[in-house]
Amino acid sequence: MLPPFDYFEHRAACQRKQTERSSRLANLPSAYHAPVSSSDRAIYTKPINELVEDVRSKRTPAVDVLRAYGKAAVRAHGKTNCVTEVMIQEAEGWLADGSINLSGPLAGIPVSLKDSIAVGGFDVSVGYSSNTGKPYPKDGSLVRMLKDGGAVPFVKTALPITLLSFESFNDVWGRALNPHNPDYSPGGSTGGEGALLAFGGSRIGIGSDVAGSVRAPAHFSGCYSLRCSTGRWPKIGVNTSMPGQEGIASVFSPMTRTLSDLQYFTRSLIQQEPWKYDHSVHPMPWREETYAQSSSSKTPLRIGVMRTDDVVNPSPACARALDLAISALKSQGHEIIPVTPPSPYRALVIASNLLNADGTKTFRSYFRTGESDDPGAAAFGAYMRLPRVFKWVHWAWTKYVRRDEVWAGLLEHWHAKSSAEQWKWVAKRELYKSEWHDWWNSFTSPGHPDVLDGSGLDVILTPPNALPATPHGAMSTAAAGCGYTFLFNLLDYSCGVMPVTKVDPAKDMVTPAIMKQEMGKNAVSRGLWRYYDAVKMAGLPVGVQVVGRRLEEEKVLGVMAILEKGLEEQGNKYELLNGWDQDA
């Protein structure tokens, strides 16, 4: 019997989109295929505020900036397969016809967009072939605001088909690669942005984050990201794999190549009053005083350090990055306080059940026959669909025979929820958030176990993930290892990730005893640690995560600035990859 006809539609759609992309790249003007020039390098390295002023004053034509980054993006795509929709020639037209406001705060700055963001005239496939051939009639609110601010959208970038993975693969566009090592993922679900930015093929990127989807790519690929709290950033005018899912809200947030770009872009966008473009945004102006105070080392900060989520301990490379960050902050006189917050594991259980409360039916509804699934999403979706009695037997075997309390706890409620059950999980979420609120404000100072300080922490420092990155296909066992980021989606806290160092086999080897210990800890730990290899991972970036409370984007950016300054003063400045100087 022949398979359903939608299999042939799927293959034809994938071929059509890949041919279209190849044609768009090949037919770009010759300037985009020329060698990188000295003037291009000057554009790449110029501070963003100076580049904006050069465009505003017409000292540098905006089209020259676009062509420099378009050239770099073409090279980045050739190395990493990070680009989906190619909008470069349309962007030249937008500059020529006045669609972009070149007197705005982002005048002439190229911005790359996750594939899920709507640009008029282009598909928003989200990696599903069923979404292709359906170009959106007009720009979404986020893109309209970017153009009004002077930014130039020029490419869209790779993601995984379900948006629920730290890899970035789908049949429509293929697999995105890490620019530091093609055997590894650039992260997900905003992995194409991570690869493009780290390579040097864009200045600003915008992605979305529901469990770490802008933070994992920043950590895996070696760039900067800020996970904004809900209500601080626009979200209308996009497509998704799970429309209507609100148990764990997805937020659109910025990614950049440098910290100064991240700070400048975030300030500029918020100063554009995004609440006038999008009803979901709080009318909360940019708080310059908060940023200035947080970025000054004059007043010592109280920084909590969460070394582990007690589900998967960080690998030696990630632990070393955290130690470097701690040392850099201590050297500037800031107080470092080891903390043990309310159970991160409980957050992982609550968040995973809320995110998949529909039984994975929604994101699966877009698949066509024979369409490739993400390994992690396929595994937990298949388990979700098993008869309840089979799942109960497996849960009992895991809990009482294998004695794996962690994995059993994640499996226990893994089924589609009724409305009544969903409400109960939302209540658990709100109770957990309340516990964190009270804990943050009133914790025990080291050395004084009977004294509650009452003034709270400024930020918390954590690893972004237990591994520096994962090899392709690893989500089949590593999908649950997202607790270091997923925790803060549940809490809706503001979080930044920044690169600190790179994997060094001489410093980051793991002993056989530690490997045995971590492999035997629980199934989640085993699913990640099986991939840790400091030799194979040599040169991969390693980051840290700075966490503030809800709507504290200014404070998080300020502390990131202090941290970067301290790292540089200690001789640990992270060296960005200048991919534009690699052979095309």
Side-chain angles (χ1 to χ4, degrees):
M1 180 181 293
L2 289 174
F5 287 114
D6 68 350
Y7 170 78
F8 300 105
E9 294 173 0
H10 168 63
R11 298 314 310 170
C14 294
Q15 184 62 52
R16 182 177 67 251
K17 291 303 293 185
Q18 291 177 25
T19 299
E20 177 187 286
R21 176 177 60 181
S22 296
S23 176
R24 281 180 166 271
L25 288 167
N27 292 328
L28 287 172
S30 58
Y32 291 98
H33 300 287
V36 172
S37 66
S38 58
S39 59
D40 293 330
R41 291 188 180 88
I43 287 170
Y44 300 148
T45 57
K46 181 165 286 192
I48 191 169
N49 59 312
E50 295 181 18
L51 192 55
V52 167
E53 285 306 314
D54 284 352
V55 171
R56 279 173 165 171
S57 65
K58 297 183 172 54
R59 287 192 296 271
T60 299
V63 71
D64 287 359
V65 182
L66 172 61
R67 287 172 180 168
Y69 276 100
K71 186 184 298 185
V74 170
R75 296 166 77 87
H77 178 70
K79 292 286 187 179
T80 66
N81 192 41
C82 58
V83 170
T84 58
E85 301 287 354
V86 181
M87 309 181 293
I88 294 172
Q89 287 190 285
E90 284 78 3
E92 286 203 10
W94 298 330
L95 288 172
D97 68 16
S99 297
I100 293 174
N101 172 25
L102 293 182
S103 61
L106 298 167
I109 299 300
V111 175
S112 46
L113 308 170
K114 190 174 186 175
D115 187 76
S116 53
I117 297 172
V119 178
F122 292 88
D123 287 339
V124 190
S125 70
V126 199
Y128 291 96
S129 71
S130 61
N131 287 335
T132 64
K134 302 172 183 178
Y136 272 50
K138 61 181 182 179
D139 294 337
S141 60
L142 179 56
V143 172
R144 285 192 289 111
M145 185 168 63
L146 288 170
K147 289 181 177 180
D148 287 351
V152 186
F154 74 122
V155 293
K156 298 213 288 181
T157 55
L159 38 61
I161 188 167
T162 62
L163 301 184
L164 295 173
S165 179
F166 286 166
E167 298 186 47
S168 290
F169 167 78
N170 57 72
D171 286 346
V172 176
W173 303 112
R175 185 181 301 281
L177 311 177
N178 192 303
H180 298 269
N181 185 330
D183 294 333
Y184 286 83
S185 167
S189 61
T190 318
E193 285 298 329
L196 182 66
L197 287 161
F199 187 93
S202 181
R203 192 71 189 240
I204 307 291
I206 297 178
S208 62
D209 191 309
V210 76
S213 291
V214 298
R215 288 164 290 159
H219 173 58
F220 284 17
S221 293
C223 57
Y224 296 76
S225 70
L226 179 69
R227 187 267 175 198
C228 299
S229 296
T230 56
R232 201 77 198 273
W233 203 265
K235 69 174 184 179
I236 302 302
V238 301
N239 201 355
T240 178
S241 62
M242 296 191 294
Q245 188 287 120
E246 292 188 335
I248 305 293
S250 176
V251 291
F252 280 79
S253 295
M255 301 172 66
T256 62
R257 186 164 165 78
T258 67
L259 183 56
S260 59
D261 283 2
L262 187 64
Q263 184 272 331
Y264 181 93
F265 179 72
T266 304
R267 173 197 279 128
S268 297
L269 201 82
I270 291 174
Q271 287 179 340
Q272 277 188 257
E273 302 180 329
W275 50 90
K276 294 182 178 179
Y277 292 80
D278 187 333
H279 72 274
S280 69
V281 182
H282 302 314
M284 180 182 292
W286 171 262
R287 296 165 292 190
E288 185 63 31
E289 183 179 346
T290 299
Y291 172 77
Q293 184 176 358
S294 301
S295 59
S296 170
S297 295
K298 294 178 181 178
T299 303
L301 299 174
R302 312 190 75 193
I303 298 171
V305 175
M306 189 184 88
R307 287 190 173 273
T308 177
D309 68 356
D310 287 326
V311 177
V312 187
N313 288 327
S315 60
C318 295
R320 181 171 63 84
L322 190 62
D323 286 337
L324 288 172
I326 291 168
S327 176
L329 292 165
K330 276 186 175 179
S331 70
Q332 298 177 86
H334 301 293
E335 184 180 3
I336 302 298
I337 305 170
V339 297
T340 304
S343 170
Y345 170 67
R346 185 151 55 96
L348 182 60
V349 173
I350 296 169
S352 58
N353 278 281
L354 281 169
L355 184 61
N356 295 283
D358 70 335
T360 73
K361 292 176 185 176
T362 304
F363 76 71
R364 293 209 57 79
S365 68
Y366 302 104
F367 277 87
R368 282 172 163 166
T369 302
E371 190 159 16
S372 298
D373 201 347
D374 173 78
F380 63 69
Y383 192 85
M384 182 75 79
R385 296 189 297 276
L386 286 175
R388 294 282 286 270
V389 64
F390 291 170
K391 288 191 282 191
W392 184 89
V393 171
H394 183 255
W395 166 80
W397 177 79
T398 302
K399 182 177 177 68
Y400 297 112
V401 179
R402 293 295 301 271
R403 298 188 182 280
D404 187 343
E405 297 278 351
V406 167
W407 192 235
L410 286 167
L411 296 176
E412 185 174 6
H413 304 285
W414 200 245
H415 57 263
K417 311 292 189 293
S418 66
S419 294
E421 289 176 307
Q422 167 80 354
W423 290 359
K424 290 178 182 178
W425 283 98
V426 170
K428 291 179 182 180
R429 179 193 69 192
E430 294 306 298
L431 176 61
Y432 184 79
K433 290 163 73 172
S434 177
E435 290 178 20
W436 260 78
H437 176 83
D438 293 343
W439 170 81
W440 192 298
N441 282 328
S442 195
F443 66 96
T444 302
S445 298
H448 302 282
D450 299 322
V451 178
L452 294 178
D453 187 273
S455 62
L457 300 167
D458 285 292
V459 296
I460 292 176
L461 201 63
T462 80
N465 194 273
L467 299 181
T470 54
H472 303 301
M475 289 298 106
S476 59
T477 66
C482 56
Y484 289 98
T485 49
F486 208 6
L487 165 63
F488 301 111
N489 292 89
L490 179 75
L491 295 168
D492 195 23
Y493 284 3
S494 307
C495 312
V497 166
M498 55 187 286
V500 170
T501 187
K502 296 180 180 179
V503 178
D504 182 345
K507 300 175 182 177
D508 299 327
M509 296 295 287
V510 63
T511 66
I514 294 296
M515 178 62 80
K516 182 179 179 180
Q517 172 185 308
E518 301 303 329
M519 289 288 288
K521 188 175 181 182
N522 58 64
V524 184
S525 182
R526 185 162 56 252
L528 269 78
W529 272 79
R530 65 190 297 177
Y531 301 113
Y532 184 71
D533 187 322
V535 174
K536 291 181 179 179
M537 292 177 166
L540 284 174
V542 192
V544 295
Q545 181 174 217
V546 178
V547 180
R549 285 181 283 192
R550 187 167 184 268
L551 300 170
E552 290 191 340
E553 287 78 17
E554 293 91 344
K555 177 177 277 191
V556 168
L557 287 167
V559 175
M560 290 170 75
I562 287 175
L563 174 54
E564 183 158 271
K565 177 184 176 184
L567 288 165
E568 292 179 1
E569 288 176 350
Q570 293 196 332
N572 292 312
K573 181 179 180 180
Y574 179 83
E575 294 297 332
L576 292 166
L577 175 66
N578 292 331
W580 56 74
D581 280 327
Q582 296 183 3
D583 293 335

